[in-house]
Amino acid sequence: MVRSLKSAKKAKRTKKGSKKGEGSSSNPEPAVPAKVWQPGVDTLEEGEELQCDLSAYNSLHAFHIGWPCLSFDILRDSLGLVRTEFPHTIYSVAGTQAEKSSSNYIGIFKILNISGKRRELVPKKSNTDDTDMESESSDSDEDDDEEGGGTGAPVLQLRKVGHEGGVNRIRAMRQHPHICASWADTGLVQVWDFSSHLNALGESDTTTNNGGSTVFNQAPLVKFAGHKDEGYAIDWNPLAPGRLVSGDCKNCIHLWEPASDSTWHIDSKPFVGHTASVEDLQWSPTEPDIFASCSVDGSIAIWDTRIGKSPAVSIKAHKADVNVITWSSLASCMLASGSDDGTFSIRDLRLLKEGDAVVAHFEHHKHPITSIEWSPHEASTLAVSSSDNQLTIWDLSLERDEEEEAEFKAKTKEQVDAPTDLPPQLLFIHQGQKDFKELHWHSQIPGMLISTAADGFNILMPSNIETAIPGADS
Protein backbone atom coordinates (compact mmCIF):
# COMPACT_ATOMS: atom_id res chain seq x y z
CA MET A 1 0.00 0.00 0.00
CA VAL A 2 1.52 3.32 -1.12
CA ARG A 3 0.53 5.92 1.46
CA SER A 4 3.33 8.36 2.21
CA LEU A 5 3.85 11.71 0.56
CA LYS A 6 7.43 11.93 -0.63
CA SER A 7 9.33 15.12 0.23
CA ALA A 8 6.34 17.04 1.50
CA LYS A 9 6.54 20.72 0.68
CA LYS A 10 4.30 23.62 1.45
CA ALA A 11 2.14 24.53 -1.50
CA LYS A 12 3.03 27.83 -3.10
CA ARG A 13 0.76 30.11 -5.08
CA THR A 14 1.77 30.48 -8.70
CA LYS A 15 0.93 32.95 -11.40
CA LYS A 16 -2.16 32.54 -13.56
CA GLY A 17 -1.66 29.94 -16.22
CA SER A 18 0.55 27.59 -14.23
CA LYS A 19 -1.82 24.68 -13.91
CA LYS A 20 -0.08 22.02 -11.88
CA GLY A 21 0.41 18.58 -13.35
CA GLU A 22 -1.10 19.32 -16.77
CA GLY A 23 0.89 22.21 -18.15
CA SER A 24 -0.66 25.29 -19.68
CA SER A 25 0.02 27.68 -22.48
CA SER A 26 -1.03 31.09 -23.68
CA ASN A 27 -0.90 29.97 -27.32
CA PRO A 28 -4.05 30.08 -29.44
CA GLU A 29 -6.00 26.96 -30.40
CA PRO A 30 -3.78 24.13 -31.62
CA ALA A 31 -3.33 23.80 -35.35
CA VAL A 32 -4.12 20.09 -35.23
CA PRO A 33 -7.11 18.33 -33.64
CA ALA A 34 -6.69 17.54 -29.96
CA LYS A 35 -5.99 13.99 -28.94
CA VAL A 36 -7.37 12.34 -25.84
CA TRP A 37 -4.53 11.47 -23.45
CA GLN A 38 -4.51 7.90 -22.12
CA PRO A 39 -2.37 7.55 -18.97
CA GLY A 40 -0.12 4.51 -19.10
CA VAL A 41 -0.66 4.20 -22.87
CA ASP A 42 0.44 7.48 -24.43
CA THR A 43 3.76 9.23 -24.00
CA LEU A 44 4.58 12.91 -24.38
CA GLU A 45 6.99 13.79 -27.16
CA GLU A 46 9.52 16.56 -26.69
CA GLY A 47 7.75 19.90 -26.79
CA GLU A 48 4.29 18.42 -26.21
CA GLU A 49 2.18 19.30 -23.20
CA LEU A 50 -1.20 18.33 -21.76
CA GLN A 51 -4.12 20.75 -21.96
CA CYS A 52 -7.22 20.56 -19.77
CA ASP A 53 -10.51 20.71 -21.68
CA LEU A 54 -12.51 22.90 -19.34
CA SER A 55 -15.73 22.21 -21.21
CA ALA A 56 -15.66 18.74 -19.59
CA TYR A 57 -16.48 20.32 -16.21
CA ASN A 58 -19.43 22.20 -14.82
CA SER A 59 -17.06 23.41 -12.13
CA LEU A 60 -13.37 22.98 -11.44
CA HIS A 61 -11.42 24.66 -8.65
CA ALA A 62 -8.21 23.98 -6.77
CA PHE A 63 -6.95 25.02 -3.37
CA HIS A 64 -4.50 24.07 -0.65
CA ILE A 65 -4.28 24.54 3.11
CA GLY A 66 -0.49 24.66 3.40
CA TRP A 67 1.01 21.21 3.75
CA PRO A 68 -0.14 18.21 1.67
CA CYS A 69 -2.93 16.10 3.16
CA LEU A 70 -3.28 12.32 3.03
CA SER A 71 -6.86 12.46 4.29
CA PHE A 72 -9.85 14.75 4.62
CA ASP A 73 -13.59 14.55 5.17
CA ILE A 74 -16.54 16.62 3.98
CA LEU A 75 -18.74 17.89 6.79
CA ARG A 76 -22.51 17.72 6.65
CA ASP A 77 -23.99 21.20 7.02
CA SER A 78 -27.34 22.95 7.41
CA LEU A 79 -27.29 24.72 4.04
CA GLY A 80 -29.64 22.28 2.33
CA LEU A 81 -29.91 18.53 1.84
CA VAL A 82 -29.90 18.65 -1.98
CA ARG A 83 -28.22 21.73 -3.45
CA THR A 84 -28.06 22.23 -7.22
CA GLU A 85 -27.66 25.98 -7.65
CA PHE A 86 -24.32 27.76 -7.89
CA PRO A 87 -22.52 29.29 -6.08
CA HIS A 88 -21.89 26.56 -3.52
CA THR A 89 -20.41 26.57 -0.02
CA ILE A 90 -18.70 23.58 1.58
CA TYR A 91 -17.22 22.71 4.99
CA SER A 92 -14.41 20.21 5.47
CA VAL A 93 -11.62 18.96 7.73
CA ALA A 94 -8.20 17.73 6.63
CA GLY A 95 -5.02 16.54 8.30
CA THR A 96 -1.53 17.48 7.17
CA GLN A 97 1.70 15.62 6.41
CA ALA A 98 4.32 18.25 7.22
CA GLU A 99 8.10 17.99 6.93
CA LYS A 100 8.44 18.25 10.71
CA SER A 101 6.15 16.30 13.02
CA SER A 102 5.62 19.38 15.19
CA SER A 103 4.37 21.40 12.21
CA ASN A 104 1.27 19.28 11.61
CA TYR A 105 -2.28 20.45 12.16
CA ILE A 106 -5.89 19.69 11.37
CA GLY A 107 -7.42 22.26 9.06
CA ILE A 108 -11.10 23.09 9.58
CA PHE A 109 -12.19 25.12 6.59
CA LYS A 110 -15.04 26.65 4.66
CA ILE A 111 -14.99 27.46 0.94
CA LEU A 112 -17.51 29.99 -0.30
CA ASN A 113 -18.52 31.17 -3.76
CA ILE A 114 -17.75 27.94 -5.60
CA SER A 115 -18.94 28.97 -9.04
CA GLY A 116 -19.88 26.85 -12.00
CA LYS A 117 -21.95 26.63 -15.12
CA ARG A 118 -23.86 24.25 -17.29
CA ARG A 119 -21.85 23.09 -20.27
CA GLU A 120 -22.75 21.20 -23.41
CA LEU A 121 -21.48 17.64 -23.71
CA VAL A 122 -20.09 18.41 -27.16
CA PRO A 123 -18.24 21.75 -27.10
CA LYS A 124 -18.66 24.13 -30.02
CA LYS A 125 -14.93 24.74 -30.16
CA SER A 126 -11.81 23.62 -28.38
CA ASN A 127 -11.19 25.45 -25.13
CA THR A 128 -7.53 25.96 -24.30
CA ASP A 129 -7.78 29.12 -22.21
CA ASP A 130 -5.32 29.43 -19.35
CA THR A 131 -6.59 28.77 -15.88
CA ASP A 132 -5.17 29.31 -12.42
CA MET A 133 -5.47 26.10 -10.45
CA GLU A 134 -4.64 27.71 -7.12
CA SER A 135 -6.94 28.30 -4.21
CA GLU A 136 -8.71 31.41 -5.39
CA SER A 137 -9.49 30.82 -9.06
CA SER A 138 -11.46 28.59 -11.35
CA ASP A 139 -12.20 27.77 -14.95
CA SER A 140 -15.76 28.80 -14.25
CA ASP A 141 -14.79 32.39 -13.43
CA GLU A 142 -14.69 32.98 -17.16
CA ASP A 143 -17.54 33.46 -19.61
CA ASP A 144 -19.86 34.70 -16.89
CA ASP A 145 -22.69 35.26 -19.33
CA GLU A 146 -23.07 31.49 -19.85
CA GLU A 147 -25.72 29.66 -17.90
CA GLY A 148 -24.59 29.04 -14.35
CA GLY A 149 -24.11 30.89 -11.10
CA GLY A 150 -21.50 32.66 -9.08
CA THR A 151 -18.81 35.01 -10.27
CA GLY A 152 -15.40 35.87 -8.93
CA ALA A 153 -12.97 33.66 -7.06
CA PRO A 154 -13.85 31.15 -4.35
CA VAL A 155 -12.90 32.20 -0.82
CA LEU A 156 -11.09 29.80 1.52
CA GLN A 157 -11.56 30.39 5.25
CA LEU A 158 -9.26 28.22 7.36
CA ARG A 159 -8.68 27.51 11.04
CA LYS A 160 -5.85 25.27 12.26
CA VAL A 161 -5.65 23.02 15.29
CA GLY A 162 -2.23 21.67 16.22
CA HIS A 163 -1.86 17.89 15.83
CA GLU A 164 0.85 15.68 17.29
CA GLY A 165 2.36 13.94 14.27
CA GLY A 166 1.10 13.51 10.74
CA VAL A 167 -2.56 12.68 10.13
CA ASN A 168 -2.96 9.31 8.43
CA ARG A 169 -6.73 9.53 8.25
CA ILE A 170 -9.50 11.78 9.53
CA ARG A 171 -13.24 11.17 9.69
CA ALA A 172 -16.17 13.26 10.93
CA MET A 173 -19.21 11.79 12.65
CA ARG A 174 -22.17 11.95 10.30
CA GLN A 175 -24.74 12.74 13.02
CA HIS A 176 -22.54 15.34 14.77
CA PRO A 177 -20.04 16.67 12.19
CA HIS A 178 -18.17 18.79 14.73
CA ILE A 179 -16.90 15.54 16.30
CA CYS A 180 -13.93 14.17 14.33
CA ALA A 181 -11.54 11.26 14.80
CA SER A 182 -7.93 11.29 13.61
CA TRP A 183 -5.38 8.51 13.15
CA ALA A 184 -1.84 9.81 13.81
CA ASP A 185 1.41 8.37 12.55
CA THR A 186 2.46 8.37 16.21
CA GLY A 187 0.05 5.48 16.86
CA LEU A 188 -2.58 7.60 18.61
CA VAL A 189 -6.28 7.73 17.73
CA GLN A 190 -7.83 10.98 18.92
CA VAL A 191 -11.35 12.39 18.97
CA TRP A 192 -11.87 16.14 18.67
CA ASP A 193 -14.65 18.65 19.17
CA PHE A 194 -14.36 21.36 16.52
CA SER A 195 -17.68 23.08 17.26
CA SER A 196 -16.06 26.40 18.24
CA HIS A 197 -14.12 26.55 14.97
CA LEU A 198 -17.14 25.65 12.86
CA ASN A 199 -19.22 28.24 14.69
CA ALA A 200 -16.58 30.87 13.96
CA LEU A 201 -16.51 29.91 10.29
CA GLY A 202 -20.30 29.93 10.12
CA GLU A 203 -20.47 33.45 11.51
CA SER A 204 -17.76 34.88 9.24
CA ASP A 205 -18.76 37.00 6.26
CA THR A 206 -18.45 35.93 2.64
CA THR A 207 -15.51 38.12 1.70
CA THR A 208 -12.99 37.64 4.49
CA ASN A 209 -10.21 35.09 4.07
CA ASN A 210 -9.25 34.12 7.61
CA GLY A 211 -5.84 33.04 6.36
CA GLY A 212 -5.36 30.37 8.96
CA SER A 213 -2.13 31.91 10.25
CA THR A 214 -2.92 31.04 13.88
CA VAL A 215 -2.50 27.44 15.04
CA PHE A 216 -4.80 26.78 17.98
CA ASN A 217 -3.62 24.52 20.77
CA GLN A 218 -6.58 22.34 21.66
CA ALA A 219 -6.76 19.16 23.70
CA PRO A 220 -8.64 16.23 22.18
CA LEU A 221 -11.67 14.75 23.92
CA VAL A 222 -10.01 11.33 23.83
CA LYS A 223 -6.46 10.17 23.17
CA PHE A 224 -6.27 6.39 22.71
CA ALA A 225 -2.84 4.74 22.85
CA GLY A 226 -4.06 1.14 22.94
CA HIS A 227 -3.13 0.23 19.37
CA LYS A 228 0.18 -1.58 18.98
CA ASP A 229 1.15 0.39 15.87
CA GLU A 230 -0.02 3.29 13.75
CA GLY A 231 -2.94 2.75 11.42
CA TYR A 232 -5.11 4.11 8.62
CA ALA A 233 -8.47 2.41 9.10
CA ILE A 234 -11.24 4.26 10.93
CA ASP A 235 -14.99 4.73 10.44
CA TRP A 236 -17.96 6.20 12.32
CA ASN A 237 -21.19 4.22 12.41
CA PRO A 238 -23.85 5.88 10.20
CA LEU A 239 -26.72 4.42 12.28
CA ALA A 240 -25.47 4.44 15.89
CA PRO A 241 -24.14 7.92 16.77
CA GLY A 242 -20.71 7.85 18.39
CA ARG A 243 -19.89 4.21 17.61
CA LEU A 244 -16.45 3.95 16.03
CA VAL A 245 -13.99 1.31 14.84
CA SER A 246 -10.26 1.82 14.37
CA GLY A 247 -7.78 -0.62 12.83
CA ASP A 248 -3.98 -0.65 12.87
CA CYS A 249 -0.99 -1.99 10.96
CA LYS A 250 -0.66 -4.89 13.45
CA ASN A 251 -4.02 -6.42 12.29
CA CYS A 252 -6.01 -5.29 15.37
CA ILE A 253 -9.43 -3.56 15.30
CA HIS A 254 -10.86 -1.80 18.37
CA LEU A 255 -14.51 -0.93 18.96
CA TRP A 256 -15.44 2.41 20.52
CA GLU A 257 -18.81 2.80 22.25
CA PRO A 258 -19.99 6.26 23.39
CA ALA A 259 -20.42 6.62 27.14
CA SER A 260 -21.54 10.26 26.90
CA ASP A 261 -21.31 13.14 24.43
CA SER A 262 -17.59 13.47 25.13
CA THR A 263 -16.40 10.11 26.48
CA TRP A 264 -16.02 6.63 25.00
CA HIS A 265 -15.56 3.11 26.25
CA ILE A 266 -12.89 1.50 24.09
CA ASP A 267 -12.82 -2.29 24.14
CA SER A 268 -9.29 -3.34 25.09
CA LYS A 269 -9.78 -6.74 23.46
CA PRO A 270 -9.42 -6.26 19.70
CA PHE A 271 -11.16 -7.95 16.79
CA VAL A 272 -8.54 -10.17 15.15
CA GLY A 273 -8.96 -12.09 11.92
CA HIS A 274 -6.55 -10.62 9.40
CA THR A 275 -2.95 -11.77 9.23
CA ALA A 276 -1.56 -8.38 8.19
CA SER A 277 -2.29 -4.65 8.38
CA VAL A 278 -5.93 -3.54 8.44
CA GLU A 279 -6.12 -0.95 5.67
CA ASP A 280 -9.74 0.25 5.71
CA LEU A 281 -13.00 -0.14 7.66
CA GLN A 282 -16.61 0.44 6.62
CA TRP A 283 -19.77 0.12 8.71
CA SER A 284 -22.84 -1.37 7.07
CA PRO A 285 -25.26 1.34 5.89
CA THR A 286 -28.24 -0.69 7.16
CA GLU A 287 -27.04 -2.85 10.09
CA PRO A 288 -25.59 -0.98 13.12
CA ASP A 289 -23.64 -4.01 14.39
CA ILE A 290 -22.02 -5.04 11.11
CA PHE A 291 -18.80 -3.70 9.61
CA ALA A 292 -16.34 -4.72 6.90
CA SER A 293 -12.56 -4.58 6.84
CA CYS A 294 -9.83 -5.11 4.26
CA SER A 295 -6.19 -5.98 4.66
CA VAL A 296 -2.72 -6.27 3.19
CA ASP A 297 -3.33 -10.03 3.40
CA GLY A 298 -5.60 -9.68 0.34
CA SER A 299 -8.82 -10.43 2.18
CA ILE A 300 -12.07 -8.72 3.08
CA ALA A 301 -13.82 -9.66 6.33
CA ILE A 302 -17.37 -9.03 7.53
CA TRP A 303 -17.79 -8.70 11.30
CA ASP A 304 -20.75 -8.77 13.67
CA THR A 305 -19.98 -7.03 16.96
CA ARG A 306 -22.61 -9.15 18.75
CA ILE A 307 -21.01 -12.54 18.12
CA GLY A 308 -17.38 -12.32 19.22
CA LYS A 309 -14.02 -11.09 18.02
CA SER A 310 -13.65 -13.24 14.90
CA PRO A 311 -14.98 -12.50 11.40
CA ALA A 312 -18.43 -13.77 10.48
CA VAL A 313 -17.20 -14.04 6.87
CA SER A 314 -13.73 -13.82 5.35
CA ILE A 315 -13.00 -13.92 1.62
CA LYS A 316 -9.88 -13.76 -0.50
CA ALA A 317 -10.65 -10.60 -2.45
CA HIS A 318 -7.54 -9.67 -4.46
CA LYS A 319 -4.17 -11.11 -5.38
CA ALA A 320 -2.43 -8.12 -3.79
CA ASP A 321 -3.05 -5.83 -0.79
CA VAL A 322 -6.63 -4.60 -0.47
CA ASN A 323 -6.14 -0.90 0.18
CA VAL A 324 -9.65 0.50 0.34
CA ILE A 325 -13.32 -0.55 0.47
CA THR A 326 -16.64 1.25 0.10
CA TRP A 327 -20.10 0.02 1.10
CA SER A 328 -22.95 1.46 -0.95
CA SER A 329 -25.53 3.46 0.99
CA LEU A 330 -28.06 3.18 -1.87
CA ALA A 331 -27.60 -0.52 -2.67
CA SER A 332 -26.48 -2.03 0.63
CA CYS A 333 -25.67 -5.40 -0.93
CA MET A 334 -22.84 -3.87 -2.95
CA LEU A 335 -19.28 -3.66 -1.62
CA ALA A 336 -16.42 -2.35 -3.77
CA SER A 337 -12.70 -2.81 -3.09
CA GLY A 338 -9.48 -1.43 -4.56
CA SER A 339 -6.14 -3.22 -4.65
CA ASP A 340 -2.44 -2.45 -4.72
CA ASP A 341 -2.21 -4.00 -8.21
CA GLY A 342 -4.49 -1.30 -9.66
CA THR A 343 -7.61 -3.46 -9.96
CA PHE A 344 -10.93 -2.88 -8.27
CA SER A 345 -13.89 -5.19 -7.83
CA ILE A 346 -17.56 -4.97 -6.96
CA ARG A 347 -19.21 -7.72 -4.94
CA ASP A 348 -22.85 -8.51 -4.32
CA LEU A 349 -22.88 -9.65 -0.70
CA ARG A 350 -26.08 -11.63 -1.29
CA LEU A 351 -23.99 -14.04 -3.38
CA LEU A 352 -21.34 -14.79 -0.74
CA LYS A 353 -22.94 -18.08 0.28
CA GLU A 354 -22.87 -19.24 -3.33
CA GLY A 355 -19.13 -18.68 -3.67
CA ASP A 356 -17.96 -16.03 -6.12
CA ALA A 357 -19.76 -12.79 -5.31
CA VAL A 358 -17.81 -10.64 -7.81
CA VAL A 359 -20.19 -8.93 -10.25
CA ALA A 360 -17.63 -6.59 -11.85
CA HIS A 361 -13.85 -6.38 -12.01
CA PHE A 362 -11.81 -3.64 -13.69
CA GLU A 363 -8.12 -3.43 -14.62
CA HIS A 364 -8.00 0.10 -16.06
CA HIS A 365 -5.58 1.49 -13.47
CA LYS A 366 -2.00 0.23 -13.54
CA HIS A 367 -0.88 1.56 -10.14
CA PRO A 368 -2.28 1.11 -6.60
CA ILE A 369 -5.86 2.17 -5.91
CA THR A 370 -5.72 4.80 -3.16
CA SER A 371 -9.41 5.65 -2.66
CA ILE A 372 -12.82 4.38 -3.76
CA GLU A 373 -16.30 5.63 -2.94
CA TRP A 374 -19.86 5.01 -4.12
CA SER A 375 -21.90 8.00 -5.14
CA PRO A 376 -24.49 8.98 -2.50
CA HIS A 377 -26.91 9.99 -5.27
CA GLU A 378 -26.53 7.37 -8.03
CA ALA A 379 -26.59 3.71 -7.01
CA SER A 380 -24.56 2.50 -10.00
CA THR A 381 -21.84 5.18 -9.86
CA LEU A 382 -18.54 5.15 -8.01
CA ALA A 383 -15.30 7.11 -8.10
CA VAL A 384 -11.77 5.70 -7.89
CA SER A 385 -8.37 7.33 -7.47
CA SER A 386 -4.98 5.77 -8.14
CA SER A 387 -1.27 6.40 -7.83
CA ASP A 388 -1.25 6.67 -11.63
CA ASN A 389 -2.46 10.30 -11.23
CA GLN A 390 -5.98 9.48 -12.38
CA LEU A 391 -9.33 9.95 -10.72
CA THR A 392 -11.93 7.93 -12.61
CA ILE A 393 -15.71 7.86 -12.39
CA TRP A 394 -17.60 4.71 -13.35
CA ASP A 395 -21.26 3.99 -14.08
CA LEU A 396 -21.84 0.24 -13.82
CA SER A 397 -25.22 0.52 -15.52
CA LEU A 398 -23.66 1.58 -18.83
CA GLU A 399 -23.30 -0.79 -21.74
CA ARG A 400 -21.68 -0.22 -25.10
CA ASP A 401 -24.10 1.39 -27.60
CA GLU A 402 -22.55 1.32 -31.08
CA GLU A 403 -25.21 3.57 -32.61
CA GLU A 404 -24.74 6.22 -29.92
CA GLU A 405 -20.95 6.00 -30.26
CA ALA A 406 -21.18 6.52 -34.02
CA GLU A 407 -23.40 9.58 -33.52
CA PHE A 408 -20.99 11.06 -30.97
CA LYS A 409 -17.95 10.43 -33.17
CA ALA A 410 -19.69 12.17 -36.07
CA LYS A 411 -20.20 15.26 -33.92
CA THR A 412 -16.65 15.33 -32.60
CA LYS A 413 -14.62 14.07 -35.57
CA GLU A 414 -13.00 17.46 -36.15
CA GLN A 415 -12.34 18.13 -32.49
CA VAL A 416 -11.03 15.04 -30.80
CA ASP A 417 -9.27 11.78 -31.52
CA ALA A 418 -11.11 9.57 -29.05
CA PRO A 419 -9.69 6.19 -28.00
CA THR A 420 -11.78 3.14 -28.85
CA ASP A 421 -10.66 0.64 -26.22
CA LEU A 422 -11.95 2.26 -23.01
CA PRO A 423 -14.47 0.30 -20.92
CA PRO A 424 -18.05 1.47 -21.59
CA GLN A 425 -18.59 1.89 -17.84
CA LEU A 426 -15.79 4.48 -17.64
CA LEU A 427 -17.65 7.77 -17.41
CA PHE A 428 -14.90 10.31 -16.71
CA ILE A 429 -11.14 10.66 -16.18
CA HIS A 430 -9.85 13.58 -14.13
CA GLN A 431 -6.13 14.42 -14.17
CA GLY A 432 -3.93 17.33 -13.25
CA GLN A 433 -3.15 16.31 -9.67
CA LYS A 434 -0.02 14.46 -8.63
CA ASP A 435 -0.15 11.42 -6.38
CA PHE A 436 -3.88 11.13 -5.57
CA LYS A 437 -4.57 10.07 -1.99
CA GLU A 438 -8.29 10.35 -1.18
CA LEU A 439 -11.60 11.40 -2.71
CA HIS A 440 -15.11 12.02 -1.41
CA TRP A 441 -18.47 12.81 -2.96
CA HIS A 442 -20.37 15.69 -1.39
CA SER A 443 -23.52 14.10 0.05
CA GLN A 444 -25.53 17.34 -0.26
CA ILE A 445 -24.34 18.60 -3.65
CA PRO A 446 -25.10 16.00 -6.35
CA GLY A 447 -22.22 15.43 -8.73
CA MET A 448 -19.56 17.24 -6.68
CA LEU A 449 -16.30 15.47 -5.87
CA ILE A 450 -13.35 16.66 -3.81
CA SER A 451 -9.94 15.03 -4.04
CA THR A 452 -6.63 15.46 -2.25
CA ALA A 453 -3.18 14.80 -3.66
CA ALA A 454 0.44 15.70 -3.03
CA ASP A 455 -0.05 19.10 -4.66
CA GLY A 456 -3.34 20.09 -3.01
CA PHE A 457 -7.08 19.71 -3.42
CA ASN A 458 -9.45 19.80 -6.40
CA ILE A 459 -13.19 20.43 -6.39
CA LEU A 460 -14.75 19.05 -9.56
CA MET A 461 -18.17 18.56 -11.11
CA PRO A 462 -17.92 16.69 -14.44
CA SER A 463 -20.37 17.90 -17.05
CA ASN A 464 -21.44 14.42 -18.13
CA ILE A 465 -22.85 13.48 -14.74
CA GLU A 466 -26.46 14.56 -15.13
CA THR A 467 -27.13 15.07 -11.42
CA ALA A 468 -24.39 17.70 -11.39
CA ILE A 469 -26.17 19.94 -13.88
CA PRO A 470 -28.42 22.53 -12.24
CA GLY A 471 -31.97 22.33 -13.47
CA ALA A 472 -31.43 19.03 -15.27
CA ASP A 473 -35.03 17.96 -14.78
CA SER A 474 -36.28 18.25 -18.31
Side-chain angles (χ1 to χ4, degrees):
M1 167 64 174
V2 179
R3 288 178 286 220
S4 61
L5 287 163
K6 295 181 179 178
S7 61
K9 296 181 179 179
K10 265 200 170 182
K12 295 182 180 179
R13 189 168 301 175
T14 57
K15 294 181 180 179
K16 189 173 180 65
S18 60
K19 181 168 183 178
K20 291 185 178 180
E22 294 191 2
S24 58
S25 170
S26 58
N27 296 330
E29 293 184 14
V32 295
K35 179 182 178 181
V36 173
W37 170 262
Q38 297 186 78
V41 177
D42 299 324
T43 57
L44 285 178
E45 302 295 336
E46 185 177 353
E48 288 185 324
E49 61 182 15
L50 298 179
Q51 296 283 351
C52 175
D53 183 0
L54 301 178
S55 66
Y57 299 86
N58 285 332
S59 185
L60 177 61
H61 302 264
F63 66 96
H64 58 77
I65 66 167
W67 295 107
C69 300
L70 274 180
S71 183
F72 73 103
D73 205 3
I74 300 171
L75 305 184
R76 289 178 175 250
D77 57 52
S78 58
L79 301 178
L81 292 178
V82 181
R83 309 202 292 270
T84 59
E85 298 297 327
F86 292 107
H88 289 299
T89 296
I90 65 170
Y91 289 83
S92 184
V93 292
T96 64
Q97 292 280 319
E99 285 184 340
K100 295 181 180 179
S101 181
S102 59
S103 300
N104 282 292
Y105 52 83
I106 294 174
I108 304 101
F109 57 91
K110 170 185 179 183
I111 301 180
L112 310 95
N113 199 40
I114 300 171
S115 57
K117 64 188 69 174
R118 181 172 182 171
R119 296 183 182 274
E120 297 299 326
L121 180 60
V122 181
K124 294 180 181 179
K125 63 179 181 179
S126 180
N127 185 345
T128 58
D129 291 341
D130 289 351
T131 179
D132 183 356
M133 285 294 288
E134 291 302 321
S135 61
E136 297 182 8
S137 65
S138 163
D139 63 291
S140 47
D141 297 340
E142 304 170 6
D143 304 328
D144 292 332
D145 56 344
E146 290 188 27
E147 180 180 351
T151 58
V155 176
L156 169 67
Q157 298 180 340
L158 171 67
R159 293 173 70 88
K160 301 175 180 177
V161 173
H163 187 273
E164 184 181 344
V167 180
N168 290 344
R169 195 157 291 176
I170 188 166
R171 291 291 182 265
M173 191 192 306
R174 179 179 303 186
Q175 300 88 345
H176 305 291
H178 61 282
I179 302 296
C180 299
S182 65
W183 239 125
D185 60 13
T186 59
L188 297 175
V189 180
Q190 299 170 92
V191 177
W192 307 81
D193 183 348
F194 293 141
S195 55
S196 63
H197 303 286
L198 291 170
N199 289 339
L201 291 173
E203 294 169 0
S204 61
D205 61 57
T206 60
T207 58
T208 301
N209 187 335
N210 290 352
S213 57
T214 301
V215 178
F216 295 91
N217 292 319
Q218 177 179 331
L221 296 176
V222 179
K223 183 183 290 186
F224 178 57
H227 282 285
K228 297 179 180 179
D229 196 356
E230 66 174 312
Y232 295 81
I234 195 166
D235 194 37
W236 291 101
N237 194 304
L239 303 173
R243 184 175 291 175
L244 181 74
V245 280
S246 56
D248 60 37
C249 295
K250 290 288 188 184
N251 81 345
C252 293
I253 302 169
H254 288 272
L255 175 66
W256 301 47
E257 291 285 4
S260 69
D261 290 340
S262 59
T263 59
W264 278 260
H265 170 71
I266 307 166
D267 194 339
S268 60
K269 185 179 180 182
F271 293 86
V272 178
H274 292 293
T275 58
S277 172
V278 178
E279 298 291 278
D280 202 4
L281 290 162
Q282 285 269 290
W283 284 101
S284 165
T286 57
E287 300 289 339
D289 301 299
I290 306 295
F291 68 89
S293 62
C294 65
S295 171
V296 166
D297 64 17
S299 72
I300 292 174
I302 309 295
W303 311 74
D304 188 332
T305 61
R306 300 164 296 185
I307 59 172
K309 303 296 184 179
S310 298
V313 178
S314 183
I315 55 174
K316 183 66 175 178
H318 290 271
K319 297 178 180 178
D321 306 4
V322 188
N323 296 335
V324 284
I325 51 176
T326 177
W327 204 325
S328 173
S329 62
L330 298 179
S332 60
C333 60
M334 307 302 285
L335 185 72
S337 56
S339 175
D340 221 39
D341 61 10
T343 66
F344 67 96
S345 301
I346 293 89
R347 285 175 169 79
D348 186 336
L349 299 180
R350 296 172 297 183
L351 304 178
L352 285 177
K353 293 182 179 180
E354 301 175 13
D356 189 6
V358 176
V359 295
H361 180 76
F362 296 96
E363 300 180 355
H364 170 79
H365 292 283
K366 306 305 179 185
H367 292 83
I369 304 299
T370 58
S371 188
I372 188 168
E373 188 167 290
W374 290 102
S375 166
H377 298 103
E378 298 291 337
S380 61
T381 301
L382 78 163
V384 179
S385 69
S386 168
S387 298
D388 62 9
N389 299 330
Q390 292 185 74
L391 185 160
T392 54
I393 302 174
W394 302 76
D395 186 342
L396 304 183
S397 68
L398 295 179
E399 297 180 356
R400 192 172 297 280
D401 187 321
E402 295 182 0
E403 183 177 333
E404 187 178 79
E405 285 183 359
E407 181 181 350
F408 182 80
K409 288 177 181 178
K411 290 181 180 179
T412 61
K413 62 181 179 180
E414 299 298 328
Q415 301 173 37
V416 66
D417 179 17
T420 59
D421 56 348
L422 295 177
Q425 296 85 5
L426 179 57
L427 196 63
F428 196 87
I429 299 177
H430 171 67
Q431 298 179 80
Q433 290 179 271
K434 296 179 180 178
D435 198 10
F436 279 104
K437 290 303 177 185
E438 196 167 271
L439 63 85
H440 295 297
W441 296 90
H442 199 299
S443 63
Q444 295 168 269
I445 306 177
M448 176 180 282
L449 276 161
I450 304 176
S451 57
T452 184
D455 52 358
F457 292 84
N458 272 191
I459 301 172
L460 58 141
M461 298 179 74
S463 62
N464 64 339
I465 299 180
E466 291 188 4
T467 52
I469 301 176
D473 53 2
S474 59

